[in-house]
Amino acid sequence: MEWPTPTTTMTNMNEYEKLVIGMNNPRVVIDNVACATATIVKVDSSSSKHGALMEVVQVIADLNLSVKKAYFSYDGRWFMDVFYITDRFGRKLTDESVLSCLEQSFDTGNDESRGSHTGREKHTVVELIGNDRPGLLSEVFAVLADHNCGVVEATVWVRHGRIACCLTINDALSGGSVADAQRLRRVESRLRRVLEGDLDDARGATAVISPAAVASADRRLHQMLLADRDYERGSPAAPAAVSIQSWAERGYSVLSVQCRERPKLLFDVLCALTDMEYVVFHGAVDTAGDSARQECYIRHNDGTPIGSKEERQRVVRCLQASIERRASPGTRLELRTPDQPGILADVTRTLRENGLLVTRAEVSTKGDVVSIVFYVTGASGRPAVPEAIEAVRRWVGVDRLTVKEGEVQRWRLKSVGGVEAEGGVGIGLGYLGNFVRRNLYNLGLINSFS
């Protein structure tokens, strides 16, 4: 895997601007000695910006690194975060290019500069949300191919009958952004008609094309689905045990999450909290095997804790929805193939013709090669029929398509151990609470952790 090499963004700044950025940029220390199983990353900075912790965790998530243990504290002026991280195979980081990219990514100071490292400013972003149906994704890619639009990156999530897509496209002929405004309006109009489908059931179908770069497609999909109120369409089996308690003495609401460990879990939790305008002041993360526990001490942006039962219930539902969005039932198909015009439209049409439904998709293009990951099921969410998958393999080439059994939401909790979802009793303050309070005491933020 090739890692991006960040470049400076200070060329055109005056000396005062450089000084301010230098004072506010995080100080990063990477320790590969103290822990035998993980790389320790310490980040601290003076910042009063809402979402500072979110930005740090997003850097880790964008590099496909896993947080195995963490603690973080913020007093409104200064934050200190410590992460124990591994690569996606559970190994500590040894690749110098990864370590360098991790350190320099924090030094860029903002999302826009991180986006510029990947060349996304040369591309155009398409955001889609609407009711899902068999073959919809194939129709979307066909529209783009008809208008000579290439897909550079794509992330697709399907949840409770709704599909959300964030696509980065370019001009298939020039490789640059699609600059023709009239052409973009035609593409947007056709995509909207495709999403609307049956006009009797076109609820909330939205297609938006923007020249602005998106720093994180996953981050944007969380925002889109939260605005779509997907948390009101919850599933019977919640993916996580969530409890919220009050620490009235300190004016915090104490949020606890317990579920199966999986990649980007902390990122997904922080996306929900940040988008609901809560600030995480202190917290801890701990994993053991396939189990993960997180605890966060939160307040509203205005400094007040959660104030009502109804609000507490809404936060619980939103967090469970945020964790569940990345669930990928079905069989995982991995395809690497030379990039060519219309390849995504052809592949997704083949899936549709063989009765396979896409529940999640990720597309990335590097040079002349496109990498595609699909999670597929059969009709009505049933397991995919092996004969259908074999037919797809024969069409794309058996040496290009790898088939893996899907995750089947194996990270869901089979039981919540008596934790109440609305959080009167349960996992808060008992498991990680002493660990968090000890860190607050060591930082001088409370008088005692006992």
Side-chain angles (χ1 to χ4, degrees):
M1 179 176 183
E2 295 182 10
W3 298 87
T5 302
T7 58
T8 180
T9 60
M10 292 186 166
T11 304
N12 298 319
M13 297 182 182
N14 61 38
E15 293 303 316
Y16 177 76
E17 289 173 325
K18 294 179 182 179
L19 176 62
V20 171
I21 291 177
M23 293 172 62
N24 291 327
N25 272 1
R27 184 175 67 92
V28 184
V29 176
I30 298 178
D31 185 346
N32 235 344
V33 177
C35 179
T37 58
T39 299
I40 303 175
V41 178
K42 302 176 182 179
V43 185
D44 65 83
S45 175
S46 59
S47 175
S48 58
K49 182 173 63 172
H50 174 51
L53 175 61
M54 177 75 253
E55 291 184 3
V56 172
V57 174
Q58 182 173 310
V59 169
I60 296 172
D62 287 347
L63 294 175
N64 291 318
L65 304 176
S66 297
V67 178
K68 296 303 181 182
K69 181 179 177 181
Y71 58 89
F72 27 86
S73 291
Y74 172 64
D75 64 0
R77 299 178 303 274
W78 189 276
F79 70 82
M80 184 191 73
D81 307 329
V82 179
F83 301 94
Y84 290 68
I85 62 178
T86 66
D87 63 19
R88 61 193 181 97
F89 301 107
R91 303 172 302 206
K92 66 189 304 182
L93 309 183
T94 57
D95 189 328
E96 288 298 328
S97 65
V98 179
L99 295 171
S100 175
C101 183
L102 180 65
E103 183 173 7
Q104 293 181 47
S105 292
F106 293 120
D107 291 338
T108 59
N110 54 57
D111 290 338
E112 288 77 8
S113 60
R114 283 200 299 271
S116 68
H117 299 331
T118 63
R120 288 175 179 168
E121 71 280 2
K122 298 179 181 179
H123 304 140
T124 306
V125 175
V126 180
E127 296 178 356
L128 308 172
I129 191 164
N131 290 329
D132 190 31
R133 66 176 186 274
L136 175 60
L137 199 57
S138 173
E139 295 178 42
V140 167
F141 288 135
V143 168
L144 295 175
D146 288 346
H147 288 80
N148 291 319
C149 295
V151 178
V152 181
E153 294 179 353
T155 306
V156 180
W157 291 352
V158 178
R159 185 170 186 266
H160 299 315
R162 300 284 282 175
I163 185 171
C165 312
C166 187
L167 316 174
T168 302
I169 65 172
N170 64 5
D171 186 303
L173 301 178
S174 68
S177 62
V178 183
D180 186 340
Q182 187 175 1
R183 176 182 172 192
L184 289 175
R185 283 194 295 269
R186 289 197 301 268
V187 173
E188 186 174 312
S189 177
R190 282 198 57 187
L191 288 174
R192 188 175 295 110
R193 289 199 297 271
V194 166
L195 283 173
E196 289 173 349
D198 183 357
L199 294 179
D200 294 331
D201 189 22
R203 174 181 57 87
T206 303
V208 178
I209 296 181
S210 168
V214 174
S216 168
D218 288 0
R219 180 87 176 86
R220 185 64 190 125
L221 288 177
H222 275 302
Q223 294 170 337
M224 293 165 60
L225 286 167
L226 178 64
D228 196 53
R229 304 177 73 89
D230 70 329
Y231 56 87
E232 295 180 348
R233 300 182 290 274
S235 58
V242 180
S243 68
I244 298 176
Q245 303 174 61
S246 174
W247 189 11
E249 178 186 356
R250 292 288 174 180
Y252 292 115
S253 295
V254 184
L255 166 69
S256 298
V257 177
Q258 179 181 356
C259 65
R260 293 294 178 92
E261 164 64 357
R262 61 154 176 82
K264 300 188 179 181
L265 178 60
L266 178 59
F267 172 82
D268 293 338
V269 169
L270 291 179
C271 280
L273 292 174
T274 303
D275 293 340
M276 289 187 289
E277 299 189 342
Y278 292 98
V279 178
V280 177
F281 284 84
H282 313 288
V285 175
D286 193 23
T287 62
D290 62 353
S291 178
R293 296 183 184 228
Q294 300 179 9
E295 187 167 275
C296 300
Y297 291 65
I298 65 174
R299 294 174 180 156
H300 291 105
N301 278 350
D302 62 6
T304 60
I306 293 175
S308 68
K309 178 180 179 181
E310 291 73 21
E311 182 184 1
R312 187 167 66 246
Q313 291 173 335
R314 178 178 178 271
V315 172
V316 167
R317 289 197 302 270
C318 288
L319 282 165
Q320 290 175 333
S322 184
I323 293 171
E324 187 185 45
R325 288 171 194 147
R326 208 180 291 275
S328 305
T331 302
R332 178 183 171 111
L333 307 181
E334 299 179 359
L335 173 64
R336 285 179 57 85
T337 184
D339 192 16
Q340 60 188 34
I343 181 65
L344 288 171
D346 293 340
V347 172
T348 50
R349 185 187 66 250
T350 302
L351 294 176
R352 179 191 62 191
E353 291 172 347
N354 286 277
L356 298 176
L357 306 179
V358 177
T359 62
R360 179 179 157 197
E362 296 178 0
V363 179
S364 61
T365 304
K366 189 174 294 293
D368 296 328
V369 177
V370 59
S371 299
I372 311 170
V373 175
F374 291 116
Y375 289 84
V376 298
T377 66
S380 303
R382 296 187 179 91
V385 178
E387 291 79 7
I389 294 177
E390 191 58 32
V392 174
R393 291 191 70 203
R394 288 195 300 270
W395 185 86
V396 301
V398 294
D399 58 332
R400 294 178 178 175
L401 183 67
T402 302
V403 181
K404 297 183 179 179
E405 286 305 313
E407 298 173 359
V408 196
Q409 300 177 9
R410 63 176 180 266
W411 43 266
R412 284 178 175 270
L413 273 182
K414 296 182 179 178
S415 66
V416 298
V419 176
E420 296 181 0
E422 294 175 16
V425 298
I427 61 179
L429 294 180
Y431 183 77
L432 292 175
N434 285 338
F435 176 63
V436 175
R437 291 189 182 195
R438 183 177 295 110
N439 284 315
L440 301 187
Y441 173 75
N442 291 337
L443 291 170
L445 300 177
I446 62 176
N447 295 326
S448 173
F449 64 84
S450 60

